[in-house]
Amino acid sequence: MQSTTVMTGASRGIGRVAAEHILRESPDTHLLVVARGLAGARLAAELGSGGRAISHVQADLSSLESVRSAVAEIRDRLECGELPPLRGFVGNAGVQYTNALTEGPEGFESTFTVNVLANHLFVRLLQDCFAVPARIVITSSDTHFGDFKHNMGMVPGPVWRPPEVLAHTGAFPEPDTTSAGRTAYSTSKLAAIHLVHEYARRLPAGVDVVAYNPGFVPGTGLARNAGPVSRFAMRRILPLMALTPFATGRAAAGRYLADIVLGLTEASTGSYVDRDRTARSSEESYDPPRERELWDAVERFTAVHAA
């Protein structure tokens, strides 16, 4: 049965690998990639050989208005029958800045916008379009644990604040530092897991949602906003860690993501999948009152409830 899967973050890193696997392992899937500028068109041209069904929609995920425009185009294409029924959404795009002061056009801090609010808009504005069974996968990170075991001290642990604070710049001490930028990242990934739990409670039956942790994956584009030394280390030195248990290779992480999307990895709604198996996320991530508070806040920030 033909179906559509919408995917962000497919143009590089583990997303690129996952996109290739999805198209190869599921010929009935039409992969609709959401990307900025010409990246989506290039990816569709590169992966669309041999009759593979892939197309693109342009969006800048740091702009909520741009996300809304992309969703409107996707809905139009679904409604007119240009796309087969929607059965998947993969929120794989993510950013990490060298500060906690980068602001998007709507006035929200950019890490929170891309890693939390953009995914929320896609999920909520496409919610009534899903044909069941459907699966939503949100890429998280084990940095949300905040301990040495999970990230070897490379990223500070999350520091929770009221959502109104987290959504704006300067939420953390010394906000102009790389440490604050990385704290914004780990905190946004904790927020993503909180929302996965809340989606599991609120989405229609048959629309499952799963958080995916690829582990530490050196050699991706996540450090593209870092300084030259950090970028060099991520590209040339740290990939060697994939030969150890402390990191995941890009190929393996992309394959794990594809398997979750395709339902080859069993995971009930609300689950946290650590690489290729379900696991418990951090104890802090299970907090229903906080999850409801975050839900209410992101509904206000994105004005979904009034849409």
Side-chain angles (χ1 to χ4, degrees):
M1 180 184 299
Q2 290 192 326
S3 63
T4 295
T5 292
V6 175
M7 184 176 184
T8 70
S11 59
R12 57 161 62 94
I14 67 174
R16 170 65 181 256
V17 175
E20 294 172 352
H21 274 275
I22 291 168
L23 290 169
R24 181 168 59 250
E25 301 299 326
S26 181
D28 290 336
T29 296
H30 184 115
L31 187 64
L32 178 59
V33 296
V34 181
R36 185 169 51 186
L38 299 176
R42 285 197 298 266
L43 184 65
E46 292 168 3
L47 299 186
S49 61
R52 293 172 176 171
I54 179 172
S55 60
H56 70 281
V57 169
Q58 184 173 324
D60 178 354
L61 301 185
S62 68
S63 164
L64 299 184
E65 184 58 35
S66 181
V67 172
R68 285 183 178 278
S69 296
V71 173
E73 182 177 340
I74 294 168
R75 290 181 64 96
D76 287 346
R77 292 174 63 181
L78 287 166
E79 290 169 6
C80 75
E82 180 184 338
L83 294 172
L86 178 66
R87 292 188 184 272
F89 170 71
V90 188
N92 179 62
V95 296
Q96 182 183 122
Y97 289 93
T98 55
N99 58 62
L101 294 172
T102 306
E103 187 176 87
E106 286 84 11
F108 297 111
E109 193 273 324
S110 292
T111 310
F112 196 84
T113 301
V114 175
N115 297 356
V116 181
L117 296 181
N119 285 333
H120 188 70
L121 266 180
F122 276 110
V123 170
R124 294 287 280 121
L125 296 182
L126 291 173
Q127 178 176 320
D128 63 337
C129 295
F130 284 105
V132 297
R135 173 168 281 193
I136 296 167
V137 182
I138 305 295
T139 298
S140 182
S141 166
D142 54 8
T143 60
H144 86 278
F145 280 91
D147 57 17
F148 186 86
K149 174 183 176 181
H150 288 90
N151 60 57
M152 296 174 290
M154 291 187 293
V155 179
V159 178
W160 194 257
R161 301 277 192 261
E164 289 77 6
V165 176
L166 294 177
H168 293 89
T169 58
F172 308 103
E174 301 182 329
D176 60 333
T177 64
T178 298
S179 177
R182 291 175 176 171
T183 302
Y185 176 80
S186 63
T187 306
S188 75
K189 293 303 185 177
L190 174 60
I193 297 172
H194 281 326
L195 284 177
V196 164
H197 295 160
E198 196 65 20
Y199 295 146
R201 288 189 279 266
R202 294 176 182 262
L203 289 174
V207 181
D208 292 345
V209 56
V210 175
Y212 165 59
N213 167 46
F216 173 56
V217 187
T220 69
L222 185 61
R224 59 188 176 274
N225 294 307
V229 175
S230 294
R231 292 200 306 271
F232 177 82
M234 283 291 287
R235 287 198 310 266
R236 303 298 184 186
I237 300 174
L238 294 180
L240 297 175
M241 291 183 64
L243 302 174
T244 76
F246 300 106
T248 311
R250 184 173 57 182
R255 186 177 69 253
Y256 296 152
L257 175 56
D259 286 348
I260 300 168
V261 174
L262 296 175
L264 301 177
T265 298
E266 293 187 11
S268 59
T269 190
S271 293
Y272 176 80
V273 178
D274 182 7
R275 299 167 178 84
D276 61 346
R277 64 196 66 187
T278 58
R280 279 187 65 83
S281 50
S282 70
E283 291 305 313
E284 184 182 7
S285 71
Y286 299 95
D287 191 331
R290 183 190 285 181
E291 290 157 5
R292 287 193 295 271
E293 178 188 30
L294 179 61
W295 168 276
D296 291 340
V298 297
E299 289 279 286
R300 291 195 306 273
F301 300 154
T302 58
V304 171
H305 61 293

